């Protein structure tokens, strides 16, 4: 009811282009899901679309995936902190479930930002400077090597396509 009809028409065409693998369309659909433009915010759907663009060696998609993963990391840390505080006050808690380690998003986010930087996306360098404070230097070097290997593989793959 409250969704703009011209947005829905445009989104339909974007979705068709995205389904055909058009990287810019995939990226825009990812942004729509990430920001909740005229639709519900859906971080998992955004991640799916950004992942597709990143794997097609689209540097803006790689950047967006990296930023989304870093934002997910920060959100998980915040909720992890709240959960830990809640459990400290609840002596009768039977919840022994293990949440996914939020650092996995940090590590993957760093890697995709590094790939985006290697792929010529200049804004990635600025974000990487901030993210580096969260990761030990030795781990950064390891991730940089992994990012270079992935970047070379994506570059080789895009030359074949």
């Amino acid at each position: 009811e409250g969704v703009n009809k011209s947005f829905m028409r445009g989104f339909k065409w974007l979705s068709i282009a995205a389904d055909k693998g058009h990287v810019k369309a995939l990226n825009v659909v990812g942004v729509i899901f990430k920001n909740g433009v005229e639709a519900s915010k859906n971080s998992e759907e955004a991640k799916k679309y950004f992942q597709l663009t990143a794997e097609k060696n689209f540097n803006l998609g790689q950047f967006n995936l990296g930023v989304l993963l870093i934002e997910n990391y920060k959100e998980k840390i915040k909720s992890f902190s709240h959960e830990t505080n809640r459990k400290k006050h609840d002596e009768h808690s039977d919840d022994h479930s293990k949440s996914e380690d939020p650092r996995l998003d940090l590590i993957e986010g760093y890697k995709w930002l590094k790939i985006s930087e290697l792929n010529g996306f200049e804004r990635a360098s600025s974000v990487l400077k901030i993210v580096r404070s969260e990761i030990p230097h030795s781990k950064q070097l390891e991730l940089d090597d992994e990012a270079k290997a992935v970047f070379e593989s994506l570059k080789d793959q895009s030359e074949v396509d």
Side-chain angles (χ1 to χ4, degrees), residues 22-55:
H22 189 278
V23 291
K24 289 181 181 176
L26 286 163
N27 190 63
V28 171
V29 171
V31 169
I32 289 168
F33 280 118
K34 179 182 181 283
N35 296 328
V37 180
E38 293 283 345
S40 298
K41 274 183 151 181
N42 188 327
S43 183
E44 284 305 309
E45 281 295 302
K47 182 180 174 184
K48 180 177 84 174
Y49 282 95
F50 291 150
Q51 185 79 41
L52 290 168
T53 64
E55 291 171 357

Side-chain angles (χ1 to χ4, degrees), residues 71-87:
E71 288 172 353
N72 287 350
Y73 160 75
K74 291 184 180 213
E75 193 59 41
K76 286 177 183 175
I77 289 294
K78 203 182 305 178
S79 65
F80 192 73
S81 172
H82 292 312
E83 184 67 18
T84 302
N85 288 335
R86 184 189 64 77
K87 285 182 180 179

Side-chain angles (χ1 to χ4, degrees), residues 3-17:
V3 178
N4 181 326
K5 286 182 182 178
S6 29
F7 170 82
M8 290 308 296
R9 272 194 301 272
F11 187 75
K12 175 185 168 191
W13 287 109
L14 266 175
S15 296
I16 290 169

Side-chain angles (χ1 to χ4, degrees), residues 68-145:
L68 178 69
L69 289 165
I70 299 300
E71 288 172 353
N72 287 350
Y73 160 75
K74 291 184 180 213
E75 193 59 41
K76 286 177 183 175
I77 289 294
K78 203 182 305 178
S79 65
F80 192 73
S81 172
H82 292 312
E83 184 67 18
T84 302
N85 288 335
R86 184 189 64 77
K87 285 182 180 179
K88 283 180 184 175
H89 296 293
D90 184 6
E91 296 174 359
H92 304 292
S93 175
D94 291 333
D95 182 16
H96 298 291
S97 64
K98 291 185 179 180
S99 300
E100 181 182 302
D101 186 345
R103 291 173 295 184
L104 296 176
D105 283 338
L106 173 66
I107 289 166
E108 277 302 300
Y110 177 91
K111 212 165 20 176
W112 281 110
L113 287 168
K114 185 64 182 177
I115 293 166
S116 177
E117 179 188 56
L118 292 168
N119 204 6
F121 197 75
E122 292 177 17
R123 281 185 32 214
S125 300
S126 305
V127 178
L128 279 168
K129 285 179 187 172
I130 297 164
V131 174
R132 283 189 178 107
S133 66
E134 305 270 339
I135 300 173
H137 183 69
S138 59
K139 185 67 174 175
Q140 288 176 36
L141 296 174
E142 178 187 321
L143 293 172
D144 288 350
D145 288 342

